[in-house]
Amino acid sequence: QMSRLLRASILLLLLASCGGGNFSAPRDLDNACSIIRERPRYLSAMEATERKWGVTVHVQMATIHQDSKFIGNARTPHQYALGIIPMGRQSSAYGCSKAIDEFLTLAYHAKFGLPAVSGRFFNVVGPRQVGHYGMVVPRFLDAAIAGEPLVVYDDGGQTRCFAHVREVGDCVVGLTNLPTAHGRVYNIGSDHATTIRDLAAEVSRLTKSRSSIEYRAYAEAYGKDFEDVRRRVPSLERLETTLGRKPRLSLPEILTDILQWRQGGQGRSA
């Protein structure tokens, strides 16, 4: 049987191995070059990622900046026992499952010649969409028409790009029928960014609604550990280069079409 002294010694060694790192934020959080100079290992890790995955350093820096804003006092929502064992919060498998699907699709294309295309869709909206699963456009339209408050979470500064389902469907059919597109991953959506706050204002304007806009904390609806992506704007360069087109309808045009369908008209995708 292991003695108490030996067990205590092992525990102290484990605890000691978890310390010693520099976990403070860089001094100048608004200057990417300053951050790299202060933390050269960051650049080494990014260069390794570029060599392995082809994601350039400047793209990595832009992604990190847009997602985290380099918040100096940010802390991971996870808690760890002994610094290595995650506790207290389960991670969502949603993003992981989509990545695995893409890898499997590309692998089957490469190995067996499967004529497949992977699409990453960004906020597809249109007639017939319902707000049962939190879809923001039908939820806002329902509230505005009913004269109820339009509920915006956090400060409403989150940016999204809304694309009409008819244009997205056209891109899907085009990529599927184009052999040179097979075996690749495409962002499919619009690249016209709007904040959720501005979306609520536009819905109110088009519906001529007197509904108020209410701001609520994420924790009220999703719990204290909820994490959101502040900026979600796809690059459509590959899509446009391959097809020669991309979704172009503006947000007012999309909302007007949905309203026309709700009022008994045909709409673009009816």
Side-chain angles (χ1 to χ4, degrees):
Q1 184 177 0
M2 188 181 298
S3 69
R4 290 184 179 180
L5 179 60
L6 180 58
R7 283 181 288 179
S9 299
I10 293 174
L11 178 60
L12 287 174
L13 286 173
L14 285 172
L15 289 173
S17 69
C18 297
N22 182 7
F23 298 111
S24 62
R27 287 187 294 272
D28 188 353
L29 300 178
D30 295 320
N31 188 322
C33 294
S34 174
I35 293 172
I36 293 299
R37 284 194 297 269
E38 184 179 344
R39 304 288 170 83
R41 66 181 185 277
Y42 288 8
L43 180 59
S44 299
M46 292 179 191
E47 289 173 337
T49 299
E50 180 174 358
R51 288 192 298 271
K52 186 171 183 178
W53 302 107
V55 181
T56 59
V57 170
H58 68 275
V59 170
Q60 296 178 59
M61 290 294 294
T63 302
I64 294 170
H65 179 69
Q66 291 295 344
D67 189 64
S68 69
K69 302 299 183 187
F70 287 120
I71 299 174
N73 63 351
R75 295 292 182 272
T76 172
H78 297 274
Q79 296 179 349
Y80 294 89
L82 300 179
I84 55 173
I85 305 173
M87 297 178 62
R89 181 176 183 273
Q90 295 182 344
S91 298
S92 169
Y94 178 67
C96 294
S97 66
K98 292 199 294 184
I100 291 171
D101 288 342
E102 285 187 2
F103 287 135
L104 285 174
T105 301
L106 297 177
Y108 268 76
H109 171 78
K111 188 172 181 64
F112 303 110
L114 180 72
V117 174
S118 291
R120 297 174 179 173
F121 299 92
F122 290 77
N123 295 92
V124 183
V125 298
R128 301 184 180 86
Q129 188 180 44
V130 296
H132 296 168
Y133 303 100
M135 304 299 182
V136 66
V137 168
R139 184 166 60 83
F140 278 0
L141 286 171
D142 288 341
I145 293 172
E148 299 173 351
L150 278 64
V151 177
V152 174
Y153 292 103
D154 200 43
D155 63 355
Q158 314 92 308
T159 56
R160 298 292 185 267
C161 299
F162 298 96
H164 196 288
V165 63
R166 181 171 183 176
E167 289 190 299
V168 170
D170 175 68
C171 290
V172 170
V173 173
L175 291 172
T176 303
N177 292 331
L178 187 64
T180 55
H182 296 169
R184 305 189 78 186
V185 181
Y186 293 86
N187 293 335
I188 306 175
S190 168
D191 53 5
H192 299 297
T194 186
T195 65
I196 300 302
R197 180 173 55 244
D198 289 342
L199 170 65
E202 186 66 16
V203 167
S204 295
R205 184 186 71 82
L206 290 174
T207 58
K208 297 180 173 59
S209 175
R210 294 184 178 181
S211 295
S212 62
I213 297 177
E214 290 187 3
Y215 294 89
R216 297 181 186 173
Y218 280 127
E220 292 186 28
Y222 304 108
K224 63 176 180 154
D225 290 332
F226 179 78
E227 300 173 22
D228 193 16
V229 178
R230 291 290 293 178
R231 178 176 170 82
R232 184 181 294 156
V233 181
S235 169
L236 302 180
E237 181 179 354
R238 176 179 291 183
L239 177 69
E240 190 170 20
T241 300
T242 302
L243 285 182
R245 62 185 183 275
K246 63 180 181 180
R248 296 187 182 278
L249 286 176
S250 67
L251 180 61
E253 290 175 314
I254 294 172
L255 294 176
T256 299
D257 184 63
I258 298 173
L259 281 171
Q260 181 182 355
W261 174 79
R262 283 176 174 247
Q263 294 165 356
Q266 289 300 305
R268 295 174 186 264
S269 55

